[in-house]
Amino acid sequence: AACSSQPPQEAQIENSQHEPIYLQISGQQTAEKNKLAIIQHGLASDMTHPAVQAAKQAFIDNGYLVITFDSRYSLGKSGGGVANVRLSTFVDDLQTVIDWAKKQNFYHEPLALAGHSLGGASVLQYAAEHPAQVGILVPITPVVSGQKWEDACMTYMPDFCRKWKKDGIYRYQNEDISYQTVEKAKSFDALKLAPKIAADVLLISAQNDTIIIPKDINELYAALPESDKKRLAKIPNSGHNFEDARNQQDLTEAV
């Protein structure tokens, strides 16, 4: 395995509006490999999330240089209230990080992209819009569409979801999460984007996920172009956030 004991390099970059985005670079730069992976976390989260860390470890073990970052309007170091988060802000932040990486001497295409939940939707959209740039795509329990996200919420957490929709917000770790995040995501449908994706795809579902349900992940997998390079991994006995060490180990091994 590559040397994962090296402390990550930290950097703070800015988008075109001079808003900060905090990132870390982990793994070993090896001249002969030129393998670069970028990983994006999900809603109301940050780069320390178990899904991000498990995927990061897998890429490092396979000799990749890995960039993880805190999206804006999340719980990490990049700032901004969670109430303002949208899938579009996630996509913008991913673009900002990739644009910055392109100016670094370690940059290499095709990229590997991974993302969890809302970050999974973000990397799916990027891969569909830039098929030549992305060689490997790992969506981890990604939002498949805003409508499916709402449908699962109303089915599995009806009282919570109806109240969230009626109130417009719910409080989470002293932040307001706006229902507009779901509403605005209804313009996103990965099933329509899937045919445009040229990358080798490893799609990951969690057996006990009630937020992004396995049935919707299966539907996305079927919509991806037929290829002997596409794979579907199902993490047993795991919820959406891969809470326990066994789930995280299974996720690392799957990637």
Side-chain angles (χ1 to χ4, degrees), residues 66 71 92 131 134 142 154 210 237:
V66 182
S71 297
D92 289 348
V134 184
M154 291 291 183
T210 56
N237 306 312

Side-chain angles (χ1 to χ4, degrees), residues 5-150:
S5 59
Q6 290 178 322
Q9 293 173 263
E10 303 187 356
Q12 184 170 289
I13 65 174
E14 288 187 342
N15 66 10
S16 57
Q17 284 82 48
H18 305 294
E19 294 169 317
I21 295 177
Y22 175 78
L23 60 81
Q24 287 186 350
I25 307 162
S26 308
Q28 202 169 37
Q29 284 176 251
T30 50
E32 70 276 13
K33 283 194 174 154
N34 288 325
K35 298 204 285 191
L36 177 62
I38 299 175
I39 308 174
Q40 189 167 26
H41 63 75
L43 173 67
S45 183
D46 63 23
M47 69 170 84
T48 66
H49 189 280
V52 173
Q53 293 300 310
K56 180 175 94 167
Q57 191 58 53
F59 279 115
I60 289 172
D61 289 346
N62 283 287
Y64 278 78
L65 193 70
V66 182
I67 297 175
T68 54
F69 65 98
D70 287 342
S71 297
R72 292 170 303 148
Y73 314 124
S74 295
L75 300 179
K77 297 182 181 177
S78 295
V82 175
N84 295 316
V85 74
R86 304 289 181 265
L87 174 56
S88 60
T89 66
F90 263 56
V91 172
D92 289 348
D93 291 349
L94 178 61
Q95 183 73 61
T96 297
V97 171
I98 292 172
D99 288 346
W100 172 83
K102 283 178 178 177
K103 299 180 185 130
Q104 312 308 311
N105 58 11
F106 57 70
Y107 185 76
H108 183 75
E109 286 178 9
L111 293 167
L113 292 183
H116 175 243
S117 198
L118 198 63
S122 174
V123 299
L124 280 161
Q125 183 165 323
Y126 191 91
E129 291 174 354
H130 306 86
Q133 281 184 35
V134 184
I136 293 174
L137 184 64
V138 186
I140 303 166
T141 59
V143 171
V144 177
S145 74
Q147 189 60 58
K148 288 180 180 297
W149 181 11
E150 181 179 77

Side-chain angles (χ1 to χ4, degrees), residues 121 124-129 143-148 185-198 216 219-225:
L124 280 161
Q125 183 165 323
Y126 191 91
E129 291 174 354
V143 171
V144 177
S145 74
Q147 189 60 58
K148 288 180 180 297
K186 288 180 183 175
S187 62
F188 170 80
D189 186 352
L191 301 179
K192 292 180 180 160
L193 296 175
K196 302 174 187 168
I197 293 172
D216 293 343
E219 203 176 330
L220 174 57
Y221 181 75
L224 290 163

